[in-house]
Amino acid sequence: MPSAASKLAYVPFVSVDNMMQLIHRIGLEDMLKGIAAYIEEDFRRWEMFDKTPRVASHSAEGVIELMPTSDGEVYGFKYVNGHPKNTRDGLQTVTAFGLLANVHTGYPVLLSEMTLLTALRTAATSALVARYLAPKGADTMALIGNGAQSEFQALAMRAICGVTKLRLYDIDPAATRKLVRNLSGRGFDLTACASPEAAMEGAQIVTTCTADKQYATILTDNMVGTGIHINAIGGDCPGKTELHKDILLRADVFVEYPPQTRIEGEIQQMPGDFPVTEFWHVVTGAAPGRRDARQITLFDGVGFATEDFSALRYVRDQIEGTGLYQQLDMVADPDDPRDLFGMLQRARAAETVV
Amino acid sequence: MPSAASKLAYVPFVSVDNMMQLIHRIGLEDMLKGIAAYIEEDFRRWEMFDKTPRVASHSAEGVIELMPTSDGEVYGFKYVNGHPKNTRDGLQTVTAFGLLANVHTGYPVLLSEMTLLTALRTAATSALVARYLAPKGADTMALIGNGAQSEFQALAMRAICGVTKLRLYDIDPAATRKLVRNLSGRGFDLTACASPEAAMEGAQIVTTCTADKQYATILTDNMVGTGIHINAIGGDCPGKTELHKDILLRADVFVEYPPQTRIEGEIQQMPGDFPVTEFWHVVTGAAPGRRDARQITLFDGVGFATEDFSALRYVRDQIEGTGLYQQLDMVADPDDPRDLFGMLQRARAAETVV
């Protein structure tokens, strides 16, 4: 019988296939709601977290990042890349995996794919923020950028905020056709639009999720009417923005973690003291969310480590008893912890016998 | 047949068991020499690396760290914890795993256990440095601290530097007995000593590898004679040192990466401008190593990300054709990279059919 220590040597691993099965078992919209609830809970206890801007390694083609955090009991980090040109080569722009560990022992307790999970947590965060900031009764969203993140944004905005009408635009009409195909028959009112301006007509929420790694102007000032909520999630690394700076001057800007957003978000275009509201202050009630119907609210979302932590916590709490994980032999576990060498020698003996 | 992209979705994983088998297949001393050669090669091309001090998350009981680096082609990082009190609970003080990824795509290419591999790379680094700095003909080493790292230090020092006589001391005699048991019959001249002072007698090299997370004084000034090489590897986090500062004032101190060592190493006791030599300068010939027989040389080793990178490169180059790895389904890989949602939907359809 394995000792308690031996059991710790095995780390549950949720593969891509198991994550897909978990999503279907729970139901995608229920899972988005569940993850949003965990994210909200962690924003509420924001001050407990050990926070740091992500650690980025930039190259000409993209970036590889590590995003660690800890609540004092559990440590988590995500590995994530962003390589916009990957799409041309048939690869994902963003791939990711993540880990949770026990702060008190340092032993890993969960390893999980996070390409899918990142898509879910990003959409869940956007919808959670929109629930606090979008105008009351908002049911129409312009969705600009119809790539890998777009369907998840749409479903989260419906599950959490009640959005049912989508106005779609992408610079590549094939991306919009893919989105329409994927969401047809799911109860949305879908309108493919020929321009970003057309997509904005009648929308109370606009989501921008484009992927170019460059300064772009997806939205210009004259496209943004009063009272709208802007969910800008594509500007998420240095040199990558989606909004004209004049929009930022008219809007009230909400961010996750200012030290990271000032480097990576839309506000990288603005001076270092540009005023922003930290979203966790809205969740705790320390700061107002939307104050009036004419206000332009802007979520400058770049994705923060605590959101990945929340999503991994959610997965950890859901997989028990499902069998939707493998046990990885990842941590060396000698019977006597000071005898790593002895463990290695006994492994040879065991091999020889076999 | 899987497409090229699909194959990229699987990441080779070297488990603890497979790492042990790989070590035995290659032979431990040959593997230590092989890893040392990769480490030396990477010190020689030091300027190519993207370097950063490790990202640490400290708690009352220990630390969890991420150690990333990149040579512009390959990215690597290690997760590693250090929890001295773990030993009391039957757990490892240090556990680790690491990853290599392709800088151009961001896709992971290797995941590996690194508890064992860290022990090997630490020993290989120590012996490589000693080959440059220890007095000529050194054959006797005092080994103070006889825990999990000690046998690996002994074998690397023999394989790479010709050390055959070991003088052993640990505050816990059981640790020394374990070391003697493990290395008996392997051609070493082993002497268990009753005090650190006794262990130092006749030694040209002294290795300190104790594990307490606190300022300790394993070596005092009067214990250190002229001409010795000190391999101090246990002082490796803030608040954890092994040497009295007077020794540092008499020695020429060599370090891996000063911004990290000034935080974590023995030199954390000294002013920020305390003079040190970067070891890579010795490898390239830009700085002298040992200049004369009376000089005290001190390697203030804390372990740097490039060494883990070198060790992972070595493992990557060795496992091909061995079968000593599993393929992990870790990266989501839709046929159309913009259609992550479609991949998820098709997974449900496939599951239903089955």
Side-chain angles (χ1 to χ4, degrees):
Chain A
M1 205 174 80
S3 67
S6 306
K7 272 186 256 169
L8 290 179
Y10 287 88
V11 180
F13 166 62
V14 180
S15 68
V16 174
D17 188 58
N18 278 330
M19 183 63 76
M20 293 197 291
Q21 290 191 46
L22 184 69
I23 294 169
H24 290 306
R25 190 171 299 197
I26 295 169
L28 179 50
E29 291 187 52
D30 281 344
M31 188 152 164
L32 288 163
K33 281 193 276 192
I35 292 171
Y38 274 59
I39 292 171
E40 186 174 21
E41 183 185 330
D42 286 341
F43 272 122
R44 188 163 283 129
R45 59 194 191 107
W46 182 256
E47 287 164 295
M48 297 178 62
F49 283 90
D50 186 7
K51 294 174 286 289
T52 178
R54 53 186 146 203
V55 184
S57 178
H58 293 277
S59 63
E61 299 110 324
V63 63
I64 297 177
E65 299 170 329
L66 299 175
M67 302 170 68
T69 191
S70 162
D71 68 1
E73 290 292 321
V74 179
Y75 170 93
F77 83 88
K78 179 168 80 168
Y79 168 102
V80 59
N81 76 299
H83 286 69
K85 65 98 200 164
N86 270 4
T87 307
R88 290 196 302 272
D89 304 327
L91 301 175
Q92 282 293 109
T93 299
V94 173
T95 71
F97 69 91
L99 181 109
L100 293 180
N102 182 329
V103 165
H104 304 294
T105 64
Y107 273 49
V109 297
L110 177 72
L111 180 72
S112 177
E113 89 79 35
M114 286 193 79
T115 307
L116 280 157
L117 193 58
T118 296
L120 268 65
R121 81 87 160 112
T122 301
T125 302
S126 284
L128 171 68
V129 173
R131 207 186 75 209
Y132 281 91
L133 298 182
K136 274 202 201 335
D139 64 355
T140 305
M141 174 166 76
L143 189 42
I144 298 177
N146 299 160
Q149 171 64 202
S150 58
E151 293 91 347
F152 300 97
Q153 285 284 332
L155 289 164
M157 286 289 183
R158 180 168 70 187
I160 294 163
C161 304
V163 166
T164 55
K165 297 177 193 149
L166 300 175
R167 301 183 61 79
L168 314 173
Y169 176 76
D170 195 289
I171 196 168
D172 177 1
T176 304
R177 285 196 298 272
K178 175 232 34 165
L179 195 162
V180 168
R181 193 168 60 238
N182 281 336
L183 294 187
S184 288
R186 290 174 169 266
F188 282 104
D189 179 342
L190 300 167
T191 307
C193 302
S195 68
E197 288 80 0
M200 298 289 285
E201 281 171 27
Q204 299 98 3
I205 300 174
V206 54
T207 290
T208 56
C209 51
T210 62
D212 271 337
K213 187 184 178 180
Q214 59 187 41
Y215 291 104
T217 306
I218 310 300
L219 294 188
T220 55
D221 192 35
N222 62 352
M223 291 166 66
V224 177
T226 55
I228 208 164
H229 174 64
I230 305 171
N231 174 42
I233 59 165
D236 62 359
C237 72
K240 182 162 181 279
T241 60
E242 296 180 314
L243 308 184
H244 192 282
K245 61 189 286 189
D246 287 352
I247 298 172
L248 304 179
L249 294 168
R250 287 167 60 208
D252 288 309
V253 178
F254 298 79
V255 304
E256 292 141 316
Y257 180 60
Q260 181 176 304
T261 312
R262 291 193 193 277
I263 296 169
E264 302 177 357
E266 297 299 328
I267 58 170
Q268 68 185 276
Q269 307 176 67
M270 310 308 279
D273 61 351
F274 181 76
V276 298
T277 301
E278 295 185 47
F279 179 64
W280 73 273
H281 280 144
V282 180
V283 173
T284 62
R290 172 167 289 272
R291 290 187 317 270
D292 66 68
R294 293 185 55 78
Q295 185 186 12
I296 299 171
T297 51
L298 166 59
F299 174 50
D300 188 0
V302 296
F304 187 59
T306 58
E307 296 151 23
D308 300 306
F309 180 91
S310 310
L312 287 169
R313 279 206 305 122
Y314 175 85
V315 168
R316 181 199 63 190
D317 291 351
Q318 296 297 322
I319 59 171
E320 199 161 310
T322 63
L324 294 176
Y325 56 90
Q326 303 159 240
Q327 293 284 19
L328 284 195
D329 170 26
M330 199 158 141
V331 179
D333 174 51
D335 299 329
D336 172 356
R338 288 180 307 191
D339 198 8
L340 196 60
F341 184 82
M343 179 186 77
L344 177 62
Q345 292 317 113
R346 283 187 292 278
R348 179 165 57 183
E351 206 184 344
T352 309
V353 171
V354 173
Chain B
M1 206 175 78
S3 66
S6 305
K7 272 186 257 170
L8 290 179
Y10 289 88
V11 180
F13 166 63
V14 180
S15 69
V16 174
D17 187 57
N18 278 330
M19 183 63 75
M20 293 196 292
Q21 290 192 45
L22 184 68
I23 294 169
H24 290 306
R25 190 169 300 198
I26 295 169
L28 179 50
E29 290 187 52
D30 281 344
M31 188 152 164
L32 287 162
K33 282 193 274 191
I35 292 171
Y38 274 60
I39 291 171
E40 186 174 22
E41 184 186 329
D42 288 341
F43 272 121
R44 188 163 282 128
R45 60 194 189 105
W46 182 256
E47 288 165 295
M48 297 177 63
F49 283 90
D50 187 7
K51 293 173 288 287
T52 177
R54 52 186 149 203
V55 184
S57 178
H58 292 277
S59 63
E61 298 110 326
V63 63
I64 297 177
E65 299 170 328
L66 299 174
M67 302 170 68
T69 192
S70 161
D71 69 1
E73 291 292 320
V74 179
Y75 170 94
F77 83 90
K78 179 168 80 169
Y79 167 101
V80 60
N81 76 299
H83 285 69
K85 64 101 201 161
N86 271 4
T87 306
R88 290 196 302 273
D89 304 327
L91 302 175
Q92 282 293 109
T93 299
V94 173
T95 71
F97 69 92
L99 180 107
L100 293 180
N102 182 330
V103 165
H104 304 295
T105 63
Y107 274 49
V109 297
L110 177 72
L111 180 71
S112 177
E113 89 80 34
M114 287 193 78
T115 306
L116 280 156
L117 193 57
T118 295
L120 268 65
R121 80 84 160 114
T122 301
T125 301
S126 284
L128 172 68
V129 172
R131 207 186 75 209
Y132 282 91
L133 298 181
K136 276 203 200 332
D139 64 355
T140 305
M141 174 166 76
L143 189 44
I144 298 177
N146 299 159
Q149 171 63 203
S150 58
E151 293 91 347
F152 300 97
Q153 285 284 331
L155 289 164
M157 286 290 184
R158 180 169 70 186
I160 294 163
C161 304
V163 165
T164 55
K165 297 176 193 150
L166 300 175
R167 302 182 62 78
L168 315 173
Y169 175 76
D170 195 289
I171 195 165
D172 178 1
T176 304
R177 285 196 297 273
K178 174 231 37 165
L179 196 162
V180 169
R181 195 167 59 238
N182 280 335
L183 294 188
S184 289
R186 291 175 168 265
F188 283 103
D189 179 344
L190 300 167
T191 308
C193 302
S195 68
E197 288 79 1
M200 298 289 284
E201 281 171 26
Q204 300 96 4
I205 300 175
V206 53
T207 289
T208 56
C209 50
T210 62
D212 271 339
K213 188 185 178 178
Q214 59 187 39
Y215 292 103
T217 306
I218 310 300
L219 294 189
T220 54
D221 192 34
N222 61 351
M223 292 165 66
V224 176
T226 55
I228 208 164
H229 173 65
I230 306 171
N231 173 43
I233 59 166
D236 62 358
C237 74
K240 181 162 180 282
T241 59
E242 296 180 314
L243 308 185
H244 192 283
K245 61 188 286 190
D246 287 352
I247 298 172
L248 303 179
L249 293 169
R250 288 168 60 210
D252 288 310
V253 178
F254 297 79
V255 305
E256 292 141 317
Y257 180 61
Q260 182 176 304
T261 312
R262 291 192 192 279
I263 297 169
E264 302 178 356
E266 297 300 326
I267 58 170
Q268 67 185 276
Q269 307 177 65
M270 310 308 279
D273 61 352
F274 181 76
V276 297
T277 301
E278 296 186 46
F279 178 64
W280 72 275
H281 279 144
V282 179
V283 174
T284 62
R290 172 168 290 271
R291 289 186 317 271
D292 64 69
R294 293 183 56 79
Q295 183 186 14
I296 298 170
T297 52
L298 166 60
F299 174 50
D300 187 0
V302 296
F304 187 59
T306 58
E307 296 153 23
D308 300 306
F309 180 91
S310 311
L312 287 168
R313 280 206 304 122
Y314 175 85
V315 168
R316 182 199 61 190
D317 292 351
Q318 296 297 323
I319 60 170
E320 200 162 307
T322 64
L324 294 176
Y325 56 89
Q326 303 159 241
Q327 293 284 18
L328 283 195
D329 170 27
M330 198 158 140
V331 179
D333 174 50
D335 299 328
D336 172 357
R338 288 180 308 192
D339 198 9
L340 195 60
F341 184 82
M343 179 186 75
L344 178 62
Q345 293 316 113
R346 284 187 292 278
R348 177 164 59 184
E351 206 184 346
T352 311
V353 172
V354 174

